[in-house]
Amino acid sequence: MKKKYKKKNVLPGFGLSLGITMLYMSLIVLIPLSMVFIESSQLGWHDFIKIVTSDRVFHAYKISFATAFVAALVNAVFGLLIAWVLVRYRFPGKRIIDGFIDLPFALPTAVAGITLTTLYGKDGWLGQFFSLFHIKIAFTPIGITIALMFIGLPFVVRMVQPVLENMEKEVEEAAASLGASKQQIFLKVIFPELLPPVLAGFSLAFARGLGEYGSVVFIAGNMPMKTEIAPFMIMSKLEQFDYAGATAIAVVMLVISFVCLIVINLLQKWSRKHEFQSE
Amino acid sequence: MTTDLVRQEVKSTDGIKHAKKEVNWTKYILMSLMFLYLVVFLLIPLVFIFVKAFEKGAEVYFAAITEPDALSAIKLTILVAIISVPLNVVFGIAAAWLITKFQFKGKQILLSLIELPFAVSPVIAGLVLVLFFGPRGVLGPFLDEFGLKIIFSVPGIIIATMFVTLPFVARELIPVMQAQGKTEEEAAISLGANGWQMFLRVTLPSIKWGLLYGMILCNARAIGEFGAVSVVSGHIRGETNTMPLHVEILYNEYQFSAAFAVASLMSLLALVTLLIKTWIEWRTEKH
């Protein structure tokens, strides 16, 4: 114990780095974020519930929830597929495609927003095609889902990729030599290992989708009771200087995000435990 | 009985042949699905931005990106990045140093708190800054006394950008520093180096690629941030408009070519970011 303490002391900068970290985080994130809870506590329980359950707000939550969920689900399926192809198969241009996957993270959300809106509008390159079948995409929940699919594309890929890369081939070979079919190997050997990272990526994409604003406002069209999303409701309350209303909506969203964060942390722990077991 | 057995045998050999063929088929199908998905969801939108931007010719394009409002938006965006990225670097190094080199209580909580801005909607980030720094906020009267204006002016935009980009550098550096351990730094100190010498000659060279990686991601987000900045900016044309906000205004005014022209500049930057990122990954992998 004493020896350990001495060893710790050798490196300098504990005080300095602690000071910078705490000061920066408190001033920019923690103290401002605590304002939401202070502000909403002044609101009173009755008013809080009234704002949060008003028809328009409730509908916005529903839209945000449903579109983020569907988009995260699509991302989980295709994210797994893309990660699988990138790790397991060899083909030319693989590195470029691998780098290209992160485009949604690098592209400003507003740029993604106006691009997708024009692309899926009824005269747009892709919207034209869908309007042949009388499917409207821009300014409907489908459009919101597509924007969220774009923005959340890299999450599952980036969670699954390292796990798949570190997976030992021997286990699969053992399963194969014991007579398991390809499908059996995938379902019983590979998939259980991939489930935690897929779920973690799903939660990340879902959390991001709930809060996403820039890419969605344009394609949503923001029609009350139809295509309004929760972040847009906060924005519109703010524009009317209704701080209490904006705060109440934000509190509900924050609580949901925190739950997502906890779930992600637990999943990552579970995933890590799995890794150790296989070693 | 015997025919049954024979039939089964035939079936099973069939199965093997079938399985062998299927391997190639799955690969082929999965790869085409991936390509189709990526072309529709990533490539077409990307190409579309540039097509739209040049739709009305190069003259309109250059007029759109050199008009005074566009130039002031570009300048403000660069200013925001120049201030927020280095501050983020200082924070990221400090936080990663603290977390990887020392043992203390509450480390796990600190780690989660660093990731917090990723889980918070950008609009909420803007909202909390208005509640704290705004004219009706907690610090409002105090700032007013000194004649300082944060919300609806440039400092607010910078703080909002710092909020949303806070995790970028730290989360790249933490695994790098963790892998490095602390023996080299300990050796430097015990050989008589002071803190800064150790940092500049031992720590910095070993984390430089991770640092650069975090910086370019942070920079991309700082330049592209929309939701949080939109809340705190007040949208004063030529004054508190960043490039993404300028794109929004142009788009809402139906100046599509101009909107996509400015958007194409940012897309170009996004592509450069991806290129540098891929290059760093390739480098560290080779290493």
Side-chain angles (χ1 to χ4, degrees), chain B:
Chain B
M1 264 293 265
T2 42
T3 46
D4 254 19
L5 267 178
V6 169
R7 205 177 291 155
Q8 231 171 12
E9 220 169 327
V10 170
K11 238 189 198 165
S12 69
T13 51
D14 243 28
I16 289 168
K17 265 186 197 162
H18 196 64
K20 262 187 190 163
K21 250 188 195 167
E22 211 172 47
V23 178
N24 286 328
W25 273 111
T26 19
K27 178 181 170 179
Y28 186 69
I29 292 168
L30 290 181
M31 272 183 64
S32 355
L33 270 176
M34 180 191 80
F35 277 113
L36 190 70
Y37 194 81
L38 293 182
V39 166
V40 171
F41 280 97
L42 295 185
L43 192 64
I44 292 180
L46 185 66
V47 173
F48 186 74
I49 296 169
F50 291 95
V51 172
K52 266 286 189 200
F54 284 100
E55 206 175 40
K56 294 202 172 133
E59 235 168 86
V60 175
Y61 181 89
F62 287 109
I65 58 173
T66 52
E67 55 128 352
D69 282 347
L71 282 181
S72 86
I74 293 170
K75 263 187 222 150
L76 179 59
T77 302
I78 292 172
L79 177 76
V80 169
I82 282 180
I83 295 171
S84 61
V85 175
L87 285 174
N88 196 305
V89 167
V90 172
F91 165 76
I93 291 174
W97 182 259
L98 181 68
I99 283 170
T100 57
K101 311 285 172 177
F102 300 102
Q103 289 301 328
F104 56 93
K105 272 188 186 152
K107 194 192 259 192
Q108 209 53 47
I109 297 171
L110 183 63
L111 266 170
S112 307
L113 287 178
I114 290 175
E115 297 263 325
L116 195 61
F118 277 161
V120 173
S121 169
V123 175
I124 294 179
L127 166 72
V128 302
L129 294 177
V130 171
L131 291 178
F132 188 52
F133 293 106
R136 288 207 268 163
V138 178
L139 281 189
F142 174 78
L143 292 169
D144 221 30
E145 221 166 273
F146 291 92
L148 289 170
K149 204 177 164 207
I150 290 187
I151 299 305
F152 307 133
S153 78
V154 177
I157 296 176
I158 294 169
I159 295 174
T161 308
M162 282 158 70
F163 185 111
V164 294
T165 56
L166 182 128
F168 279 101
V169 173
R171 76 195 304 248
E172 292 305 330
L173 287 187
I174 289 168
V176 175
M177 281 195 185
Q178 198 96 60
Q180 220 84 43
K182 47 186 185 179
T183 42
E184 284 176 39
E185 275 108 352
E186 278 168 352
I189 293 292
S190 61
L191 289 172
N194 67 33
W196 289 115
Q197 284 172 326
M198 169 213 68
F199 177 73
L200 290 175
R201 305 215 180 141
V202 180
T203 310
L204 201 58
S206 69
I207 62 168
K208 62 182 179 208
W209 294 112
L211 185 63
L212 184 65
Y213 195 92
M215 272 172 75
I216 57 156
L217 294 185
C218 175
N219 181 55
R221 182 69 194 260
I223 281 169
E225 179 50 31
F226 180 72
V229 168
S230 179
V231 175
V232 299
S233 110
H235 299 266
I236 307 164
R237 246 189 150 150
E239 264 178 63
T240 58
N241 254 352
T242 59
M243 284 168 85
L245 298 178
H246 188 61
V247 168
E248 183 199 17
I249 288 180
L250 291 172
Y251 185 83
N252 287 340
E253 288 174 350
Y254 301 104
Q255 301 187 44
F256 294 131
S257 295
F260 278 100
V262 180
S264 77
L265 281 184
M266 286 192 282
S267 314
L268 218 56
L269 191 97
L271 286 177
V272 172
T273 302
L274 290 183
L275 218 63
I276 298 174
K277 190 180 149 295
T278 309
W279 177 68
I280 296 173
E281 275 165 10
W282 174 73
R283 242 199 82 98
T284 43
E285 219 169 90
K286 221 174 64 171
H287 193 69

